Amino acid sequence: MKESVLIQNKKKININFSFFIKDKVFTISLLLAIASCFIHPPKLEYVNIHVLVSLFSLMIAIKALDEHRVLDKVAISIVSKCNSSKSVSAILIFLCFFSSMFVTNDVALLTFVPLTLVISKRTSTPMMETIILLTIAANIGSSLTPMGNPQNLFIYAHYGLNPTTFFNTVFSIAVLGIVALYFLIDRLHGKQLKVDLAPIQVKNRKAAMIWGLVLAVIIMSIFGVISDQIAFVVTLVTVFLFNKKLLMKIDYSLLLTFICLFIFVGNISHTNAVQAVASASLKDSSSVYFSSILLSQLISNVPASILLAEFSTDWKPLLLGVNIGGLGTIIASMASVISYKLYIQVNPKETKKYLLTFSFYNFSFLAFFTFVQYFIL
């Protein structure tokens, strides 16, 4: 009897660490934040509230639209009109490219990669290269808008940029991306096929329209047309009126990761050693540009942008560098990890092949963009 009581008590004190193992980026950022607090005491001012509020509002609105299957409906209605695998790939890739500008690269891939896998299965057509190009398209396309990816949202808010200046800076990346993707799509193997996908109905048209308006309000707040506080209140009021469950479905680990990174960067940026190294190495635009690309390969482009922004007022090479730096290694952009996980779940035996093909395409794009954009800069 005593033994059974002891066993039950032991079960009660067991801690589930699966979340920390699963989300390695958050775990690493948390450990870095905690460790940095022993070096320098943290301050509330290190946390960029504007970025967090905008990111939270975006995640709520996008999750709502995703649940109503708005993007799925648009994608399937277009893809169903194609008669070859190459045209299907082209449509999916360019849809992913343009949609990532407005719904973030993560959400674009969460929408189009599963759809590509369904088409691949139903038509018995290998589409690994298409999924890799989808990933590249999402990472490049999202660079064109402040809300396309987290690093853009941070840089836009941190430096107080205006829309015209921002677009003029990143426009060349989008143009180069479209041209490069066009030539690679043309080289894909194609076969004749008939895509027969069941039509998708928007669950609640009225609710979908309302959330579309909420997303428009959030985008206006990002561009400074209205305050982010108003967008935040509008988002919260809408979610409480229509679907409170959405509050339990968004990725809070992303927000927590940002908070940890803000604390880590704030703490270490105030140490004498880091300030000395940064001031010595980040002397001009070229050093900021290449440092942001290299650092993105190692720690991903979001924390790289947060860290380097503390030591440089030269936002243009930083903006270009962290967006181009999203290419290359699979951890350079966390959106790339999403595609990888989705593909391997369906094709577990193709892990090595996927990583090799992914690396070939991404490092080729990285080299091309790095040097072409450097001469433009």
Side-chain angles (χ1 to χ4, degrees), residues 61-78 95 99 103 107 111-112 115 199-213 215:
I62 290 165
K63 185 63 180 176
L65 290 171
D66 183 52
E67 289 210 337
H68 289 293
R69 308 187 75 180
V70 174
L71 284 179
D72 286 351
K73 181 177 176 60
V74 174
I76 286 182
S77 65
I78 295 174
L95 273 175
S99 66
V103 300
V107 174
T111 300
F112 292 107
L115 181 58
I200 289 178
Q201 298 297 325
V202 175
K203 291 182 178 179
N204 187 327
R205 289 180 179 273
K206 182 180 177 181
M209 288 178 64
I210 290 172
W211 280 111
L213 292 173
L215 181 60

Side-chain angles (χ1 to χ4, degrees), residues 50 54-55 58 145-148 152-153 156-157 161 163 215-228 231:
H50 173 71
S54 298
L55 193 56
L58 275 172
T145 62
M147 62 279 187
N152 279 6
L153 189 61
Y156 189 87
L161 306 181
L215 181 60
V217 170
I218 297 168
I219 292 172
M220 284 192 292
S221 73
I222 292 172
F223 286 133
V225 178
I226 60 175
S227 70
D228 54 341

Side-chain angles (χ1 to χ4, degrees), residues 10 24 91 99 120 140 172 198 206 273 321 350 372:
K10 285 183 179 179
K24 294 182 177 63
I91 291 292
S99 66
S120 176
I140 296 174
S172 57
K206 182 180 177 181
E350 296 189 19
V372 172

Side-chain angles (χ1 to χ4, degrees), residues 30-190:
L30 177 63
L31 293 173
L32 289 173
I34 294 172
S36 67
C37 290
F38 291 99
I39 301 173
H40 189 276
K43 296 180 180 179
L44 184 61
E45 64 192 50
Y46 295 159
V47 180
N48 192 319
I49 302 299
H50 173 71
V51 171
L52 293 177
V53 167
S54 298
L55 193 56
F56 172 81
S57 300
L58 275 172
M59 287 193 296
I60 289 287
I62 290 165
K63 185 63 180 176
L65 290 171
D66 183 52
E67 289 210 337
H68 289 293
R69 308 187 75 180
V70 174
L71 284 179
D72 286 351
K73 181 177 176 60
V74 174
I76 286 182
S77 65
I78 295 174
V79 171
S80 61
K81 295 178 175 64
C82 300
N83 56 11
S84 74
S85 60
K86 186 181 290 188
S87 60
V88 169
S89 295
I91 291 292
L92 288 169
I93 289 167
F94 285 117
L95 273 175
C96 194
F97 181 91
F98 289 106
S99 66
S100 66
M101 299 176 188
F102 306 101
V103 300
T104 76
N105 49 359
D106 293 355
V107 174
L109 290 172
L110 284 169
T111 300
F112 292 107
V113 171
L115 181 58
T116 306
L117 291 170
V118 170
I119 295 171
S120 176
K121 182 179 179 180
R122 293 193 182 185
T123 60
S124 300
T125 306
M127 286 192 169
M128 183 182 70
E129 287 183 284
T130 299
I131 289 175
I132 291 171
L133 291 179
L134 278 173
T135 307
I136 293 172
N139 283 327
I140 296 174
S142 63
S143 66
L144 193 60
T145 62
M147 62 279 187
N149 52 53
Q151 71 268 15
N152 279 6
L153 189 61
F154 167 74
I155 292 173
Y156 189 87
H158 182 79
Y159 291 100
L161 306 181
N162 63 68
T164 304
T165 305
F166 182 93
F167 288 135
N168 287 340
T169 303
V170 296
F171 184 71
S172 57
I173 295 180
V175 173
L176 288 172
I178 290 177
V179 173
L181 286 168
Y182 174 80
F183 282 107
L184 286 176
I185 291 169
D186 191 53
R187 294 174 61 87
L188 289 176
H189 175 73

